[in-house]
Amino acid sequence: MLKKGSKLYSILTGTCPKCQNESMYLEKNPFQLTKILKMKENCSHCGLRYQIEPSFFYGAMYVSYGLNVALGIAAFIVSFIFFKTNLKIAFAAIIATLIVTFPFVLRWSRNIYINMFISYDPNATIKKN
């Protein structure tokens, strides 16, 4: 399921969507909040330019919104239905979940967004002149 060549591999690992040989981010640790969105310009293996056009990753905000809604609903269901808490505790669980998963959602939304436009190519390499 999570092998090189699948979109899920690229999304969860943050690797280049075209060749999946290196991370798109300068800092792999998503909890380095000052460097969380710092990306390389190009993939050193295949040469893919990550910022396909100016402001490309603004579209990732919509993906982020969807992920946060899904996480909020999941936190509510787990807290309110499975643990039988009251609404205040369920609301606190939603807030806590969104705060804890914030770094992951930020990166996953970018990873999902770029993978919507770029497909894996096992033969992707930089062409030498």
Side-chain angles (χ1 to χ4, degrees):
M1 178 172 116
L2 192 61
K3 59 184 177 181
K4 191 173 178 180
S6 69
K7 291 217 182 262
L8 190 59
Y9 176 84
S10 177
I11 290 167
L12 295 178
T13 60
T15 55
C16 171
K18 191 170 186 179
C19 69
Q20 297 182 356
N21 283 320
E22 72 175 20
S23 176
M24 294 187 293
Y25 301 96
L26 294 173
E27 176 64 45
K28 283 190 170 191
N29 182 2
F31 290 106
Q32 285 284 337
L33 297 180
T34 57
K35 300 177 184 176
I36 193 168
L37 294 178
K38 302 277 189 215
M39 296 180 74
K40 299 174 184 174
E41 291 284 327
N42 299 317
C43 175
S44 63
H45 186 265
C46 69
L48 175 69
R49 186 167 178 252
Y50 296 128
Q51 186 94 8
I52 297 171
E53 59 187 36
S55 306
F56 173 72
F57 286 108
Y58 282 144
M61 290 187 299
Y62 296 103
V63 176
S64 177
Y65 176 77
L67 289 173
N68 280 316
V69 167
L71 284 170
I73 290 171
F76 176 79
I77 289 171
V78 168
S79 174
F80 190 72
I81 295 176
F82 290 138
F83 290 119
K84 309 276 191 238
T85 61
N86 62 29
L87 283 175
K88 287 181 183 178
I89 302 294
F91 182 71
I94 292 169
I95 299 299
T97 300
L98 295 180
I99 289 171
V100 169
T101 60
F102 164 75
F104 298 108
V105 169
L106 221 76
R107 286 223 175 148
W108 288 340
S109 62
R110 280 189 168 208
N111 298 347
I112 290 169
Y113 194 69
I114 196 167
N115 272 280
M116 290 167 65
F117 298 97
I118 308 292
S119 295
Y120 176 69
D121 180 7
N123 302 317
T125 56
I126 295 177
K127 293 182 173 68
K128 308 276 186 204
N129 290 335

